Amino acid sequence: MSQAVIRRVRSAAERRAYLSLVRAPYADNPYWVHPDVRILKGLLRGKTWLATRAEWQALLAEEEEQPVASLIAFLHRSFEEKHGRRIGTIGFFEALPGHEGAVDALFREAEGWLASRGATRVWGPMNGHILYGFGCLENRYAERPLVGTPYNPPEYPGYWWRQAYRPAPSFYSYHIDLTSERSRAAIDRALDNPRLEQEPVITLRHADLGAWRRELEIFCDLHNSAFADNWGNAPLSHAEIRELLGPARSAADRELFWIAEMGGKAVGLVLCMPDLNEVFAKAAAAPESLRGSLALLRHRRRITRGGLLVLGVLREARGRGLGQALAARALKRMIARGMTDVEYCLVLENNAASQLIARRLGAEQTKRYLMFEKLLG
């Protein structure tokens, strides 16, 4: 077996080699859908807000001058601002099967780079910050991933165990059958919630697509507050959230994005999206490609599955059924659009409130996404 060469990605040729590994491990996998690599491409050129707010190093492992594994090590400033210590993350990881030695060397290089910059621990898989993508799928590999959620081969969790990482809190997905009478009845009950009319009154409105920038800033501030105590989370900037979700406006449905207000202040939100992977899989196209864009224009109204991506309520508005009421409005819209299934993701394993909402809506827990951590030094 040839010895792996670890390269720090700098040149255009090295960037192309890195990007080739987005697809290569899935060449014969019928369930894989090409992810959106817009952020990754920009990051490798140093032209994203993620690149600006984090220290990062892209690494590529080669054997016999061929790329076999890749990852990016990050130190996002938000973790140090929140926790008072430097926490590294490892993300955008891919590897061809049968190259365990190269993966081991790649992790050693990444951990050494993080330690040299004062990191005391590492979390992963996480693409710099949790909202840029995270998680290692542990089960249900024979299912197409929901857009925006991770997908990986079955051997990937083993790579983390091999490096002596220990388990961090996991995340779950839940399936909701929108054709089920039980789920439809639960949705209707949640819509009829007189507690929201009690003082102080909570009002719900759908997002204004004409003021998308403003709505994303509201989303950012509320997400930062509502999930402040969740493991792995840290405040994201307005610029970063615009970078992440700005392009989503073209595919957004205003009645799948609801904001709750109390006394003029946003206190809750739900963000759902049609599963665009349904289109990209049929077209065998990358989301950012011209072929992918044309396929969306042609088929996005025929999508049958949706994703409940974010559901958050501030502490002062909890205990009044607001989370379930927000989710119900978005789910009612999905039913009206002819959707039959929803995937509620990614729910932290100790988020009892979100899990209770899922059960009340008739959801079944399905996928599990592992997270790992390791102390350095």
Side-chain angles (χ1 to χ4, degrees):
M1 181 183 295
S2 61
Q3 186 172 357
V5 175
I6 307 301
R7 300 190 184 280
R8 297 190 175 186
V9 177
R10 295 186 176 93
S11 69
E14 288 165 339
R15 290 195 294 270
R16 287 193 296 271
Y18 192 107
L19 290 168
S20 72
L21 287 168
V22 170
R23 181 189 296 270
Y26 307 94
D28 300 317
N29 188 320
Y31 305 103
W32 178 78
V33 183
H34 201 299
D36 185 349
V37 294
R38 173 179 53 89
I39 296 296
L40 176 57
K41 285 182 175 179
L43 176 67
L44 291 175
R45 297 194 302 271
K47 297 184 181 297
T48 65
W49 281 105
L50 177 58
T52 300
R53 200 161 178 231
E55 295 179 54
W56 58 279
Q57 180 62 67
L59 298 172
L60 181 70
E62 293 182 347
E63 290 182 353
E64 298 179 353
E65 299 185 350
Q66 297 299 313
V68 296
S70 59
L71 60 75
I72 301 180
F74 294 91
L75 279 164
H76 197 282
R77 292 192 191 98
S78 64
F79 295 121
E80 186 174 5
E81 292 165 1
K82 178 178 179 179
H83 299 287
R85 61 183 185 272
R86 309 203 87 189
I87 298 174
T89 68
I90 290 176
F92 292 113
F93 168 75
E94 298 291 356
L96 296 178
H99 295 276
E100 288 80 4
V103 172
D104 293 346
L106 199 62
F107 270 83
R108 286 195 300 270
E109 182 73 16
E111 291 166 10
W113 182 87
L114 290 168
S116 72
R117 280 155 177 77
T120 58
R121 66 179 62 213
V122 186
W123 291 341
M126 188 184 295
N127 300 338
H129 185 282
I130 202 162
L131 282 182
Y132 280 90
F134 68 98
C136 188
L137 182 65
E138 185 196 40
N139 62 346
R140 302 178 82 105
Y141 299 108
E143 295 180 14
R144 188 188 68 241
L146 180 80
V147 67
T149 62
Y151 183 81
N152 51 261
E155 65 266 22
Y156 275 26
Y159 291 135
W160 295 87
W161 300 126
R162 278 173 57 87
Q163 313 310 318
Y165 280 76
R166 65 183 186 184
S170 299
F171 291 77
Y172 300 122
S173 282
Y174 294 83
H175 171 255
I176 302 174
D177 178 2
L178 292 180
T179 67
S180 157
E181 289 301 322
R182 177 189 173 193
S183 293
R184 290 194 174 203
I187 290 168
D188 289 337
R189 285 194 301 271
L191 290 172
D192 183 22
N193 183 352
R195 287 182 292 170
L196 302 182
E197 299 172 7
Q198 299 169 1
E199 294 292 338
V201 175
I202 299 177
T203 59
L204 278 62
R205 66 171 180 86
H206 53 65
D208 181 354
L209 300 186
W212 191 242
R213 182 186 178 111
R214 181 199 69 195
E215 305 294 54
L216 289 184
E217 291 178 355
I218 291 172
F219 173 96
C220 184
D221 293 341
L222 200 145
H223 188 281
N224 287 343
S225 297
F227 296 95
D229 296 332
N230 277 26
W231 180 90
N233 213 348
L236 204 67
S237 68
H238 287 178
E240 288 169 297
I241 208 68
R242 289 195 299 269
E243 175 173 85
L244 276 169
L245 296 179
R249 182 185 181 281
S250 60
D253 181 329
R254 65 177 190 169
E255 293 187 51
L256 295 181
F257 183 2
W258 286 83
I259 297 171
E261 297 175 334
M262 185 170 68
K265 174 187 176 183
V267 294
L269 66 83
V270 64
L271 175 63
C272 298
M273 290 286 289
D275 181 15
L276 306 183
N277 275 356
E278 196 170 310
V279 173
F280 299 136
K282 289 178 181 176
E288 74 281 3
S289 68
L290 176 60
R291 183 176 179 179
S293 299
L294 292 175
L296 268 186
L297 287 174
R298 191 175 302 118
H299 300 297
R300 68 182 182 182
R301 291 295 172 184
R302 303 175 195 170
I303 294 173
T304 60
R305 181 169 70 160
L308 199 167
L309 305 179
V310 178
L311 178 61
V313 175
L314 297 188
R315 191 177 303 277
E316 62 260 38
R318 293 173 186 168
R320 296 170 66 177
L322 177 56
Q324 196 166 336
L326 283 164
R329 276 161 175 75
L331 297 179
K332 195 74 172 179
R333 173 60 174 170
M334 291 184 186
I335 293 171
R337 286 186 54 163
M339 295 184 185
T340 58
D341 297 274
V342 172
E343 190 168 314
Y344 179 11
C345 58
L346 298 150
V347 179
L348 188 61
E349 67 177 17
N350 60 7
N351 189 337
S354 292
Q355 293 174 18
L356 179 60
I357 289 172
R359 290 195 297 271
R360 285 177 173 171
L361 292 170
E364 171 197 5
Q365 184 183 312
T366 53
K367 298 174 184 174
R368 185 183 183 200
Y369 301 89
L370 300 177
M371 294 296 297
F372 303 91
E373 65 178 351
K374 184 177 184 178
L375 296 179
L376 295 181

